Amino acid sequence: MGNGIGGYDLTSRYDRIISFDFDHSGHMDHLAVYRPGTGIFWILRNVGGPHQFAAVYRSTSGIGGHSFTDPRDKVFAFDYDHSGLLDHLVVYRPGTGLISVLRNSNGVFSPVFQSNGGGIGTFDLRDDRDEAFAFDYDHSRKLDHIVIYRPGTGTIWILKNADGKFTPVYQQGDPGSGIGGYDLRRDNDRVIAFDFLRISRQDHLLLYRPGTGTVWILKNKDGVFSPVYQGGGIGGYDLASVRDRLYAIDFDFNGNMDHVLANRLGEDTLWVLAHSAERWFSPVYQTSESVHGIGGHPLGPGADYFTPFTFRPNRRRDHLVAYRTHSDGSSLAPETHIIRPSGRGFETVYTRRELTAVPYLLGYEDLAAAGAQVSVANLVPGKGFSDIQVGARIVGQVPEPGAMVPTGTSVDITLAVA
């Protein structure tokens, strides 16, 4: 079964995961897992119990008419009808002009917007570098605009949607001059949406240039963008490596994507940065010689990825899916964890782990290593893991301590944390 999630094996380095509101509930509690270049596209639901995730959609021919047979294919969740729900999918193929917006009706996906080569909102999508994401342009708390940009050229557009007609509210052509003074003239420039004011609005743009330390945050006032932050690095994190990546996350369980997770691909380096009006950015979590990984998920050689996710039905993306695919060249065993903030750190609430010995004696140390954070004194031989109380209740039946388990068996360990 492997170390993937919900039966999806994550055996390709191209596998990616995003969160998505599949059933229009307001909860980003489904995971779209896909493999560009192959047509493989799954959507997983958190069902609870010993097998925590199950597929509600499985395809080897893409989704909604988009084939996903090109390695350039990408997808993000989007609020198409201004409902406040990220319940549509935008699928696009940089370099080709192909883009669709897909609606889900009882598990059947169909386009409400489709372009077979003409791009979107007069943005041609004809460059392999093109990137896009959802954005709150008008401070509405709705991610119902699309930012689409072309790093290295200064090109960035912001598109609004009126009944399926996309038009620019901001545009800088190719070549352009960037946005808010940030020139977007380097191929490694990256842009994300961020809640700078900590009020549940991802209405600021965070732009950064890995390897240089350059980080800007821009506010928007009536279509005019200007910096509220310009730094050499951020909160002490130097952003000096081309492998640095930044994510917006909810660290305080308040529904605000107002913290920055900074991770250096291939290293055990990860910081979480908080922003305040008085202190600007400062770390609330960082790896060090004595602190490794994040919430039981090891970091190191290869590439780790993070997706904000609603694990409990509360409309907040206050958990993270931390995953590493099998073929990223890592010397670490591939693992998938769902983690949540805890105090000034993180803890695992779900992990999937493959047992490799033949046969394998599942013991106390393995349970602890899987993220349960228990000791031998907490365990009672002869009882199933679900019966063990350690201040956190382990949910779901897995083999008992001392059980002999065949090679390749995978176990789900899920914690319901008090």
Side-chain angles (χ1 to χ4, degrees), residues 2-5 8-17 263-268 292-294 296-307 321-338 352:
N3 290 343
I5 184 168
Y8 190 104
D9 58 20
L10 287 171
T11 55
S12 170
R13 62 176 300 187
Y14 299 107
D15 287 326
R16 293 295 181 269
I17 301 175
N263 172 233
R264 184 161 294 166
L265 298 175
E267 297 183 19
D268 188 16
H292 302 283
I294 178 171
H297 183 86
L299 302 169
D304 295 281
Y305 305 97
F306 303 91
T307 299
V321 179
Y323 66 101
R324 182 186 310 111
T325 59
H326 276 250
S327 303
D328 277 319
S330 173
S331 60
L332 296 174
E335 297 186 44
T336 304
H337 290 72
I338 295 177
R352 187 159 185 80

Short mmCIF file of all heavy atoms in Angstrom, two decimals, residues 2-5 8-17 263-268 292-294 296-307 321-338 352:
data_model
loop_
_atom_site.label_atom_id
_atom_site.label_comp_id
_atom_site.label_asym_id
_atom_site.label_seq_id
_atom_site.Cartn_x
_atom_site.Cartn_y
_atom_site.Cartn_z
N GLY A 2 2.06 1.19 0.52
CA GLY A 2 2.96 2.34 0.43
C GLY A 2 2.70 3.39 1.47
O GLY A 2 1.88 3.25 2.36
N ASN A 3 3.45 4.50 1.36
CA ASN A 3 3.40 5.57 2.34
C ASN A 3 2.58 6.75 1.86
O ASN A 3 2.75 7.85 2.35
CB ASN A 3 4.82 6.06 2.66
CG ASN A 3 5.60 5.04 3.44
OD1 ASN A 3 5.02 4.13 4.00
ND2 ASN A 3 6.90 5.18 3.46
N GLY A 4 1.73 6.56 0.89
CA GLY A 4 0.94 7.65 0.38
C GLY A 4 -0.19 8.02 1.31
O GLY A 4 -0.06 8.03 2.53
N ILE A 5 -1.37 8.26 0.74
CA ILE A 5 -2.52 8.65 1.55
C ILE A 5 -3.79 8.23 0.81
O ILE A 5 -3.90 8.41 -0.40
CB ILE A 5 -2.49 10.18 1.82
CG1 ILE A 5 -3.63 10.59 2.75
CG2 ILE A 5 -2.50 10.97 0.53
CD1 ILE A 5 -3.48 12.02 3.28
N TYR A 8 -3.56 6.37 -2.49
CA TYR A 8 -2.72 7.00 -3.52
C TYR A 8 -1.27 6.87 -3.07
O TYR A 8 -0.92 7.27 -1.96
CB TYR A 8 -3.11 8.47 -3.68
CG TYR A 8 -2.47 9.14 -4.89
CD1 TYR A 8 -3.22 9.39 -6.03
CD2 TYR A 8 -1.14 9.52 -4.89
CE1 TYR A 8 -2.66 10.00 -7.14
CE2 TYR A 8 -0.56 10.12 -6.00
CZ TYR A 8 -1.32 10.37 -7.11
OH TYR A 8 -0.75 10.97 -8.21
N ASP A 9 -0.40 6.31 -3.94
CA ASP A 9 0.91 5.86 -3.47
C ASP A 9 2.00 6.93 -3.42
O ASP A 9 3.04 6.73 -2.80
CB ASP A 9 1.40 4.68 -4.31
CG ASP A 9 1.50 4.99 -5.80
OD1 ASP A 9 1.56 6.18 -6.18
OD2 ASP A 9 1.50 4.03 -6.60
N LEU A 10 1.82 8.08 -4.06
CA LEU A 10 2.84 9.13 -4.07
C LEU A 10 4.20 8.61 -4.52
O LEU A 10 5.23 8.98 -3.97
CB LEU A 10 2.96 9.80 -2.69
CG LEU A 10 1.82 10.73 -2.28
CD1 LEU A 10 1.96 11.16 -0.83
CD2 LEU A 10 1.78 11.97 -3.17
N THR A 11 4.21 7.78 -5.57
CA THR A 11 5.46 7.18 -6.01
C THR A 11 6.17 7.98 -7.09
O THR A 11 7.24 7.59 -7.55
CB THR A 11 5.22 5.75 -6.54
OG1 THR A 11 4.22 5.79 -7.55
CG2 THR A 11 4.77 4.83 -5.42
N SER A 12 5.60 9.08 -7.51
CA SER A 12 6.24 9.91 -8.53
C SER A 12 6.69 11.24 -7.93
O SER A 12 5.98 11.83 -7.10
CB SER A 12 5.27 10.19 -9.68
OG SER A 12 5.79 11.19 -10.56
N ARG A 13 7.83 11.71 -8.36
CA ARG A 13 8.32 13.00 -7.87
C ARG A 13 7.42 14.14 -8.33
O ARG A 13 7.48 15.24 -7.78
CB ARG A 13 9.74 13.24 -8.37
CG ARG A 13 9.87 13.33 -9.89
CD ARG A 13 11.29 13.66 -10.30
NE ARG A 13 11.73 14.92 -9.75
CZ ARG A 13 12.88 15.50 -10.08
NH1 ARG A 13 13.70 14.91 -10.92
NH2 ARG A 13 13.23 16.65 -9.55
N TYR A 14 6.56 13.90 -9.32
CA TYR A 14 5.67 14.94 -9.82
C TYR A 14 4.35 15.02 -9.06
O TYR A 14 3.55 15.92 -9.29
CB TYR A 14 5.39 14.73 -11.31
CG TYR A 14 6.64 14.78 -12.16
CD1 TYR A 14 7.18 13.62 -12.70
CD2 TYR A 14 7.30 15.99 -12.38
CE1 TYR A 14 8.34 13.65 -13.47
CE2 TYR A 14 8.45 16.03 -13.16
CZ TYR A 14 8.97 14.86 -13.69
OH TYR A 14 10.11 14.91 -14.44
N ASP A 15 4.08 14.07 -8.17
CA ASP A 15 2.83 14.08 -7.41
C ASP A 15 2.70 15.35 -6.58
O ASP A 15 3.67 15.79 -5.95
CB ASP A 15 2.75 12.87 -6.49
CG ASP A 15 2.49 11.57 -7.23
OD1 ASP A 15 1.78 11.61 -8.24
OD2 ASP A 15 3.01 10.52 -6.79
N ARG A 16 1.49 15.92 -6.58
CA ARG A 16 1.23 17.11 -5.78
C ARG A 16 -0.14 16.99 -5.14
O ARG A 16 -1.02 16.27 -5.62
CB ARG A 16 1.29 18.38 -6.64
CG ARG A 16 2.66 18.71 -7.19
CD ARG A 16 3.66 19.05 -6.08
NE ARG A 16 4.97 19.40 -6.63
CZ ARG A 16 5.96 18.52 -6.84
NH1 ARG A 16 5.76 17.24 -6.56
NH2 ARG A 16 7.11 18.92 -7.32
N ILE A 17 -0.33 17.74 -4.03
CA ILE A 17 -1.57 17.72 -3.27
C ILE A 17 -2.02 19.15 -3.02
O ILE A 17 -1.22 20.01 -2.65
CB ILE A 17 -1.37 17.01 -1.91
CG1 ILE A 17 -0.88 15.57 -2.10
CG2 ILE A 17 -2.65 17.03 -1.10
CD1 ILE A 17 -0.55 14.85 -0.79
N ASN A 263 10.72 27.21 4.26
CA ASN A 263 11.35 25.89 4.20
C ASN A 263 12.43 25.90 3.13
O ASN A 263 12.24 26.46 2.05
CB ASN A 263 10.30 24.82 3.90
CG ASN A 263 10.90 23.45 3.64
OD1 ASN A 263 10.63 22.83 2.63
ND2 ASN A 263 11.75 22.98 4.54
N ARG A 264 13.56 25.28 3.45
CA ARG A 264 14.64 25.15 2.49
C ARG A 264 14.67 23.71 1.98
O ARG A 264 15.02 22.77 2.71
CB ARG A 264 15.97 25.53 3.13
CG ARG A 264 17.16 25.53 2.19
CD ARG A 264 18.30 26.36 2.77
NE ARG A 264 17.93 27.77 2.83
CZ ARG A 264 18.61 28.69 3.54
NH1 ARG A 264 19.68 28.35 4.22
NH2 ARG A 264 18.20 29.96 3.54
N LEU A 265 14.26 23.51 0.74
CA LEU A 265 14.16 22.17 0.17
C LEU A 265 15.49 21.43 0.30
O LEU A 265 16.55 21.96 -0.02
CB LEU A 265 13.76 22.26 -1.30
CG LEU A 265 12.39 22.88 -1.61
CD1 LEU A 265 12.20 22.99 -3.12
CD2 LEU A 265 11.27 22.08 -0.99
N GLY A 266 15.40 20.19 0.76
CA GLY A 266 16.59 19.34 0.85
C GLY A 266 17.37 19.49 2.13
O GLY A 266 18.39 18.82 2.31
N GLU A 267 16.92 20.36 3.06
CA GLU A 267 17.62 20.56 4.32
C GLU A 267 16.63 20.49 5.48
O GLU A 267 15.43 20.67 5.30
CB GLU A 267 18.33 21.92 4.34
CG GLU A 267 19.41 22.08 3.29
CD GLU A 267 20.14 23.41 3.41
OE1 GLU A 267 20.05 24.04 4.49
OE2 GLU A 267 20.77 23.84 2.43
N ASP A 268 17.17 20.25 6.66
CA ASP A 268 16.36 20.26 7.87
C ASP A 268 16.26 21.70 8.38
O ASP A 268 16.69 22.04 9.48
CB ASP A 268 16.99 19.35 8.93
CG ASP A 268 16.09 19.18 10.15
OD1 ASP A 268 14.90 19.48 10.06
OD2 ASP A 268 16.61 18.73 11.20
N HIS A 292 14.35 19.14 15.23
CA HIS A 292 14.44 18.62 13.87
C HIS A 292 13.05 18.37 13.29
O HIS A 292 12.13 17.98 13.99
CB HIS A 292 15.24 17.32 13.85
CG HIS A 292 16.63 17.46 14.39
ND1 HIS A 292 17.65 18.03 13.67
CD2 HIS A 292 17.15 17.14 15.61
CE1 HIS A 292 18.75 18.05 14.40
NE2 HIS A 292 18.47 17.50 15.58
N GLY A 293 12.93 18.61 11.99
CA GLY A 293 11.68 18.33 11.31
C GLY A 293 10.55 19.21 11.81
O GLY A 293 10.75 20.25 12.43
N ILE A 294 9.32 18.74 11.56
CA ILE A 294 8.14 19.50 11.97
C ILE A 294 7.04 18.52 12.33
O ILE A 294 6.60 17.72 11.51
CB ILE A 294 7.70 20.48 10.85
CG1 ILE A 294 6.44 21.25 11.25
CG2 ILE A 294 7.51 19.77 9.52
CD1 ILE A 294 6.09 22.38 10.29
N GLY A 296 6.92 15.69 13.82
CA GLY A 296 7.14 14.28 13.53
C GLY A 296 7.47 14.01 12.09
O GLY A 296 7.87 12.89 11.74
N HIS A 297 7.31 15.01 11.21
CA HIS A 297 7.67 14.83 9.80
C HIS A 297 9.13 15.22 9.62
O HIS A 297 9.50 16.38 9.85
CB HIS A 297 6.79 15.70 8.90
CG HIS A 297 7.06 15.51 7.44
ND1 HIS A 297 6.46 14.52 6.69
CD2 HIS A 297 7.87 16.18 6.59
CE1 HIS A 297 6.89 14.59 5.44
NE2 HIS A 297 7.75 15.59 5.35
N PRO A 298 10.00 14.27 9.23
CA PRO A 298 11.41 14.58 9.09
C PRO A 298 11.68 15.42 7.84
O PRO A 298 11.00 15.28 6.83
CB PRO A 298 12.07 13.20 8.98
CG PRO A 298 11.00 12.35 8.37
CD PRO A 298 9.70 12.87 8.89
N LEU A 299 12.67 16.28 7.93
CA LEU A 299 13.11 17.09 6.80
C LEU A 299 14.53 16.71 6.45
O LEU A 299 15.31 16.34 7.32
CB LEU A 299 13.04 18.58 7.14
CG LEU A 299 11.68 19.13 7.56
CD1 LEU A 299 11.82 20.55 8.13
CD2 LEU A 299 10.71 19.14 6.39
N GLY A 300 14.90 16.86 5.20
CA GLY A 300 16.27 16.54 4.82
C GLY A 300 16.39 16.36 3.33
O GLY A 300 15.65 16.98 2.56
N PRO A 301 17.32 15.51 2.88
CA PRO A 301 17.55 15.34 1.44
C PRO A 301 16.26 15.00 0.69
O PRO A 301 15.45 14.22 1.16
CB PRO A 301 18.54 14.17 1.39
CG PRO A 301 19.24 14.22 2.71
CD PRO A 301 18.22 14.68 3.70
N GLY A 302 16.09 15.61 -0.46
CA GLY A 302 14.87 15.44 -1.22
C GLY A 302 14.07 16.73 -1.20
O GLY A 302 14.62 17.82 -1.09
N ALA A 303 12.77 16.63 -1.28
CA ALA A 303 11.91 17.81 -1.29
C ALA A 303 10.64 17.51 -0.51
O ALA A 303 9.96 16.53 -0.77
CB ALA A 303 11.57 18.23 -2.72
N ASP A 304 10.35 18.37 0.46
CA ASP A 304 9.13 18.26 1.24
C ASP A 304 8.17 19.36 0.82
O ASP A 304 8.60 20.48 0.50
CB ASP A 304 9.44 18.36 2.73
CG ASP A 304 10.28 17.20 3.22
OD1 ASP A 304 9.70 16.12 3.45
OD2 ASP A 304 11.50 17.35 3.37
N TYR A 305 6.88 19.05 0.86
CA TYR A 305 5.86 19.99 0.43
C TYR A 305 4.79 20.11 1.51
O TYR A 305 4.57 19.17 2.29
CB TYR A 305 5.21 19.52 -0.89
CG TYR A 305 6.20 19.27 -1.99
CD1 TYR A 305 6.67 17.99 -2.25
CD2 TYR A 305 6.70 20.32 -2.77
CE1 TYR A 305 7.59 17.74 -3.25
CE2 TYR A 305 7.62 20.08 -3.78
CZ TYR A 305 8.07 18.80 -4.01
OH TYR A 305 8.99 18.57 -5.01
N PHE A 306 4.10 21.26 1.53
CA PHE A 306 3.13 21.54 2.59
C PHE A 306 1.85 22.12 1.99
O PHE A 306 1.92 23.01 1.14
CB PHE A 306 3.73 22.52 3.60
CG PHE A 306 5.00 22.02 4.21
CD1 PHE A 306 6.23 22.33 3.63
CD2 PHE A 306 4.99 21.20 5.33
CE1 PHE A 306 7.41 21.85 4.16
CE2 PHE A 306 6.17 20.72 5.86
CZ PHE A 306 7.38 21.04 5.28
N THR A 307 0.72 21.60 2.45
CA THR A 307 -0.59 22.06 1.97
C THR A 307 -1.48 22.37 3.15
O THR A 307 -1.81 21.45 3.93
CB THR A 307 -1.25 20.98 1.09
OG1 THR A 307 -0.44 20.72 -0.05
CG2 THR A 307 -2.62 21.42 0.63
N VAL A 321 -0.82 19.33 5.52
CA VAL A 321 -0.40 18.04 4.97
C VAL A 321 1.07 18.20 4.60
O VAL A 321 1.43 19.02 3.76
CB VAL A 321 -1.22 17.66 3.72
CG1 VAL A 321 -0.74 16.33 3.16
CG2 VAL A 321 -2.71 17.61 4.05
N ALA A 322 1.92 17.44 5.27
CA ALA A 322 3.36 17.45 4.99
C ALA A 322 3.69 16.14 4.29
O ALA A 322 3.41 15.06 4.82
CB ALA A 322 4.16 17.59 6.28
N TYR A 323 4.28 16.22 3.10
CA TYR A 323 4.52 15.00 2.36
C TYR A 323 5.80 15.09 1.53
O TYR A 323 6.28 16.16 1.19
CB TYR A 323 3.33 14.68 1.44
CG TYR A 323 3.08 15.66 0.30
CD1 TYR A 323 3.50 15.37 -1.00
CD2 TYR A 323 2.43 16.87 0.52
CE1 TYR A 323 3.27 16.25 -2.04
CE2 TYR A 323 2.19 17.75 -0.52
CZ TYR A 323 2.60 17.44 -1.80
OH TYR A 323 2.39 18.32 -2.83
N ARG A 324 6.33 13.90 1.28
CA ARG A 324 7.50 13.76 0.40
C ARG A 324 7.21 12.60 -0.53
O ARG A 324 6.81 11.52 -0.09
CB ARG A 324 8.76 13.46 1.22
CG ARG A 324 10.01 13.35 0.35
CD ARG A 324 11.24 12.90 1.16
NE ARG A 324 11.38 13.72 2.34
CZ ARG A 324 11.20 13.26 3.58
NH1 ARG A 324 10.84 12.00 3.77
NH2 ARG A 324 11.35 14.04 4.61
N THR A 325 7.35 12.81 -1.82
CA THR A 325 7.11 11.74 -2.78
C THR A 325 8.28 10.76 -2.79
O THR A 325 9.38 11.07 -2.32
CB THR A 325 6.88 12.31 -4.18
OG1 THR A 325 8.02 13.06 -4.58
CG2 THR A 325 5.66 13.21 -4.20
N HIS A 326 8.06 9.59 -3.35
CA HIS A 326 9.04 8.49 -3.27
C HIS A 326 10.30 8.74 -4.08
O HIS A 326 11.32 8.15 -3.79
CB HIS A 326 8.40 7.18 -3.77
CG HIS A 326 7.63 6.47 -2.72
ND1 HIS A 326 8.03 5.28 -2.17
CD2 HIS A 326 6.46 6.78 -2.10
CE1 HIS A 326 7.15 4.88 -1.27
NE2 HIS A 326 6.19 5.77 -1.21
N SER A 327 10.25 9.54 -5.10
CA SER A 327 11.36 9.61 -6.05
C SER A 327 12.08 10.95 -6.06
O SER A 327 12.58 11.39 -7.07
CB SER A 327 10.84 9.30 -7.47
OG SER A 327 10.21 8.05 -7.50
N ASP A 328 12.12 11.60 -4.91
CA ASP A 328 12.79 12.90 -4.84
C ASP A 328 14.27 12.78 -4.50
O ASP A 328 14.92 13.76 -4.16
CB ASP A 328 12.10 13.80 -3.83
CG ASP A 328 10.88 14.50 -4.43
OD1 ASP A 328 10.96 14.94 -5.59
OD2 ASP A 328 9.87 14.57 -3.73
N GLY A 329 14.82 11.57 -4.55
CA GLY A 329 16.23 11.40 -4.27
C GLY A 329 16.58 11.49 -2.81
O GLY A 329 17.74 11.68 -2.44
N SER A 330 15.59 11.35 -1.94
CA SER A 330 15.83 11.49 -0.51
C SER A 330 16.39 10.21 0.08
O SER A 330 15.98 9.11 -0.29
CB SER A 330 14.53 11.87 0.20
OG SER A 330 14.71 11.86 1.59
N SER A 331 17.28 10.36 1.05
CA SER A 331 17.76 9.20 1.79
C SER A 331 16.83 8.89 2.95
O SER A 331 16.97 7.88 3.61
CB SER A 331 19.17 9.47 2.33
OG SER A 331 19.17 10.61 3.19
N LEU A 332 15.86 9.79 3.22
CA LEU A 332 14.88 9.54 4.26
C LEU A 332 13.75 8.70 3.72
O LEU A 332 13.41 8.77 2.54
CB LEU A 332 14.31 10.88 4.77
CG LEU A 332 15.29 11.82 5.46
CD1 LEU A 332 14.61 13.14 5.76
CD2 LEU A 332 15.83 11.20 6.74
N ALA A 333 13.13 7.91 4.59
CA ALA A 333 11.97 7.14 4.19
C ALA A 333 10.83 8.10 3.86
O ALA A 333 10.57 9.03 4.59
CB ALA A 333 11.55 6.20 5.32
N PRO A 334 10.14 7.88 2.73
CA PRO A 334 9.01 8.74 2.38
C PRO A 334 7.90 8.62 3.41
O PRO A 334 7.61 7.53 3.91
CB PRO A 334 8.56 8.20 1.02
CG PRO A 334 9.67 7.32 0.55
CD PRO A 334 10.36 6.81 1.76
N GLU A 335 7.27 9.73 3.75
CA GLU A 335 6.20 9.73 4.73
C GLU A 335 5.17 10.79 4.39
O GLU A 335 5.48 11.78 3.73
CB GLU A 335 6.75 9.97 6.14
CG GLU A 335 7.70 8.91 6.64
CD GLU A 335 8.10 9.12 8.11
OE1 GLU A 335 7.22 9.43 8.92
OE2 GLU A 335 9.28 8.98 8.39
N THR A 336 3.95 10.59 4.85
CA THR A 336 2.89 11.58 4.77
C THR A 336 2.37 11.82 6.18
O THR A 336 2.01 10.87 6.87
CB THR A 336 1.73 11.11 3.88
OG1 THR A 336 2.24 10.76 2.59
CG2 THR A 336 0.68 12.20 3.74
N HIS A 337 2.38 13.07 6.60
CA HIS A 337 1.85 13.43 7.90
C HIS A 337 0.81 14.54 7.74
O HIS A 337 0.92 15.37 6.85
CB HIS A 337 2.96 13.98 8.82
CG HIS A 337 3.96 12.98 9.28
ND1 HIS A 337 4.92 12.43 8.45
CD2 HIS A 337 4.16 12.42 10.50
CE1 HIS A 337 5.67 11.59 9.15
NE2 HIS A 337 5.23 11.57 10.39
N ILE A 338 -0.17 14.53 8.62
CA ILE A 338 -0.98 15.72 8.82
C ILE A 338 -0.65 16.24 10.21
O ILE A 338 -0.71 15.50 11.20
CB ILE A 338 -2.48 15.43 8.66
CG1 ILE A 338 -2.77 15.01 7.22
CG2 ILE A 338 -3.32 16.66 9.03
CD1 ILE A 338 -4.20 14.62 6.96
N ARG A 352 1.15 8.03 7.91
CA ARG A 352 1.12 6.72 7.25
C ARG A 352 2.54 6.25 7.13
O ARG A 352 3.42 6.96 6.65
CB ARG A 352 0.45 6.82 5.88
CG ARG A 352 0.24 5.46 5.24
CD ARG A 352 -0.84 5.51 4.18
NE ARG A 352 -1.12 4.19 3.64
CZ ARG A 352 -1.88 3.29 4.23
NH1 ARG A 352 -2.42 3.54 5.38
NH2 ARG A 352 -2.08 2.11 3.68
#
